[in-house]
């Protein structure tokens, strides 16, 4: 099966999942609980993950899956064969609170490289797609990153972990960013933050997230012209494109100064390599 065919199928599955999300929001019949003590999960997250898993198993039984709810074991990222990386609802807290910044994220990887991705935002009516080496699109129209070259004019997105004890060290970075850039946004969906960089609504993004949060969005941003990478070196044995710690994504002229700013903030807090 070609990448184009895989993308077409993944896009349809993402839209079908989005319809389930919209229906659940309208009916307001979903329950929720907390995993790891502080991370919100709804039964719609699980239901959509199950729907996608069953569809992919039926059509691509030879491929492995890494999904947030049903198959979160990260050792599969080293597989040499095909790997689906899925977040059934990226922005679960937004979803549960009635906010619109919510997405389904589906990526397909091979030998640790992201080959195609789709991020579908059902409440926004936007579908972002990309194929490795072939560009990025929103609702079928080609997209490109912003041409912003000055950090003082940059609109930057980030996020914070659910574990409150992990947040204080990140405030040094946030403070440094607010002193330099135009402003900071915290929208609650890594996948959509990356897509907003891809289409020029945001100039940069940094955060530490899980593979299912960023895989599709990272490819979409890169194919739209963004520079992508990490603040610090990726550990040996982990595919760099699926390593989610300290991701830095920006329009080309801003990537290096953004990295320097974050590195300096970490050094001043005594926590380099955060």
């Amino acid at each position: 099966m070609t990448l184009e065919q895989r993308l077409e199928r993944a896009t349809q599955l993402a839209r079908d999942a989005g319809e389930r999300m919209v229906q659940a929001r309208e009916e307001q019949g979903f329950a929720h609980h907390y995993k790891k003590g502080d991370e919100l999960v709804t039964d719609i997250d699980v239901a959509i993950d199950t729907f996608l898993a069953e569809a992919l198993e039926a059509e691509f039984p030879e491929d492995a899956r890494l999904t947030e709810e049903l198959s979160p074991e990260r050792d599969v990222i080293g597989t040499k064969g095909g790997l689906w990386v899925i977040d059934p609802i990226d922005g679960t807290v937004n979803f549960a609170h009635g906010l619109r910044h919510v997405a389904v994220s589906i990526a397909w990887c091979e030998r640790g490289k992201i080959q195609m991705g789709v991020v579908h935002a059902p409440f926004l009516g936007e579908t972002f797609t990309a194929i490795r080496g072939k560009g990025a699109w929103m609702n079928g129209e080609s997209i490109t990153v912003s041409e912003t070259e000055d950090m003082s004019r940059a609109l930057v997105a980030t996020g914070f972990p659910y574990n409150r004890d992990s947040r204080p060290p990140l405030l040094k970075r946030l403070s440094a960013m607010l002193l330099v850039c135009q402003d900071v946004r915290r929208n609650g969906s890594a996948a959509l933050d990356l897509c907003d960089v891809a289409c020029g609504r945001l100039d940069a993004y940094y955060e530490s997230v899980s593979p299912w949060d960023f895989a599709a969005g990272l490819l979409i941003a890169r194919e739209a012209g963004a520079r992508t990478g990490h603040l610090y070196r990726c550990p040996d044995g982990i595919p760099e494109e699926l390593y989610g710690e300290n991701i830095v994504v920006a329009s080309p002229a801003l990537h290096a100064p953004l990295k320097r700013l974050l590195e300096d903030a970490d050094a001043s807090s005594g926590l380099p390599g955060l």
Side-chain angles (χ1 to χ4, degrees), residues 15-83:
R15 287 176 173 150
D16 290 345
E19 290 179 5
R20 285 165 165 78
M21 225 186 289
V22 171
Q23 182 178 357
R25 169 79 64 80
E26 290 174 348
E27 295 175 353
Q28 285 294 308
F30 55 87
H32 70 270
H33 66 278
Y34 289 87
K35 62 181 180 182
K36 302 177 183 177
D38 47 26
E39 188 170 347
L40 181 69
V41 181
T42 73
D43 54 3
I44 306 305
D45 290 81
V46 178
I48 291 176
D49 206 336
T50 301
F51 160 71
L52 294 172
E54 291 176 349
L56 293 173
E57 176 65 25
E59 297 183 51
F60 308 98
E62 71 283 2
D63 289 343
R65 291 189 302 276
L66 176 64
T67 73
E68 181 170 15
E69 306 305 335
L70 299 184
S71 307
E73 297 78 17
R74 302 190 189 193
D75 54 347
V76 299
I77 64 175
T79 183
K80 300 300 182 184
L83 172 67

Side-chain angles (χ1 to χ4, degrees), residues 39 49 63 67 91 95 98 108-109 140 144 153-154 163 175-176 186 192 261 272:
E39 188 170 347
D49 206 336
D63 289 343
T67 73
F95 171 72
W108 186 76
C109 313
T144 58
R153 297 288 184 261
N163 182 351
S175 178
R186 195 273 194 262
L192 288 177
L261 181 64

Side-chain angles (χ1 to χ4, degrees), residues 214-229:
F214 75 85
L218 187 76
L219 179 68
I220 292 166
R222 183 186 297 146
E223 288 297 322
R227 283 195 61 190
T228 67

Side-chain angles (χ1 to χ4, degrees), residues 2-270:
T2 66
L3 286 176
E4 286 80 6
Q5 289 171 322
R6 284 183 181 273
L7 179 61
E8 182 178 1
R9 185 61 183 124
T11 301
Q12 185 58 58
L13 287 173
R15 287 176 173 150
D16 290 345
E19 290 179 5
R20 285 165 165 78
M21 225 186 289
V22 171
Q23 182 178 357
R25 169 79 64 80
E26 290 174 348
E27 295 175 353
Q28 285 294 308
F30 55 87
H32 70 270
H33 66 278
Y34 289 87
K35 62 181 180 182
K36 302 177 183 177
D38 47 26
E39 188 170 347
L40 181 69
V41 181
T42 73
D43 54 3
I44 306 305
D45 290 81
V46 178
I48 291 176
D49 206 336
T50 301
F51 160 71
L52 294 172
E54 291 176 349
L56 293 173
E57 176 65 25
E59 297 183 51
F60 308 98
E62 71 283 2
D63 289 343
R65 291 189 302 276
L66 176 64
T67 73
E68 181 170 15
E69 306 305 335
L70 299 184
S71 307
E73 297 78 17
R74 302 190 189 193
D75 54 347
V76 299
I77 64 175
T79 183
K80 300 300 182 184
L83 172 67
W84 294 94
V85 183
I86 298 169
D87 194 340
I89 301 181
D90 187 56
T92 296
V93 173
N94 286 352
F95 171 72
H97 283 263
L99 297 171
R100 296 163 60 83
H101 215 68
V102 180
V104 183
S105 177
I106 303 176
W108 186 76
C109 313
E110 192 171 35
R111 297 181 178 87
K113 303 290 187 181
I114 308 167
Q115 302 295 329
M116 72 88 191
V118 53
V119 174
H120 174 59
F123 301 108
L124 300 174
E126 295 178 343
T127 304
F128 298 87
T129 57
I131 292 176
R132 191 181 190 93
K134 297 188 177 181
W137 305 270
M138 181 185 75
N139 293 348
E141 298 293 328
S142 178
I143 54 176
T144 58
V145 297
S146 78
E147 297 180 357
T148 302
E149 297 182 350
D150 188 341
M151 280 296 296
S152 68
R153 297 288 184 261
L155 186 61
V156 181
T158 190
F160 302 97
Y162 291 114
N163 182 351
R164 294 178 181 86
D165 293 337
S166 301
R167 293 174 181 173
L170 299 175
L171 296 181
K172 195 74 173 182
R173 290 183 180 178
L174 180 62
S175 178
M177 195 65 55
L178 287 169
L179 289 172
V180 173
C181 71
Q182 183 181 49
D183 207 347
V184 172
R185 294 290 180 266
R186 195 273 194 262
N187 295 318
S189 167
L192 288 177
D193 283 343
L194 287 161
C195 290
D196 281 342
V197 172
C199 66
R201 295 169 179 162
L202 293 170
D203 301 298
Y205 163 80
Y206 71 93
E207 193 177 1
S208 290
V209 287
S210 297
W212 45 77
D213 297 311
F214 75 85
L218 187 76
L219 179 68
I220 292 166
R222 183 186 297 146
E223 288 297 322
R227 283 195 61 190
T228 67
H230 299 83
L231 198 56
Y232 303 109
R233 183 177 177 274
C234 176
D236 294 337
I238 299 178
E240 186 171 353
E241 292 190 16
L242 295 176
Y243 181 58
E245 296 299 311
N246 297 300
I247 293 172
V248 180
V249 178
S251 58
L254 296 181
H255 194 265
L258 176 58
K259 282 190 66 175
R260 285 195 299 271
L261 181 64
L262 294 171
E263 288 167 352
D264 289 347
D266 286 356
S268 68
S269 66

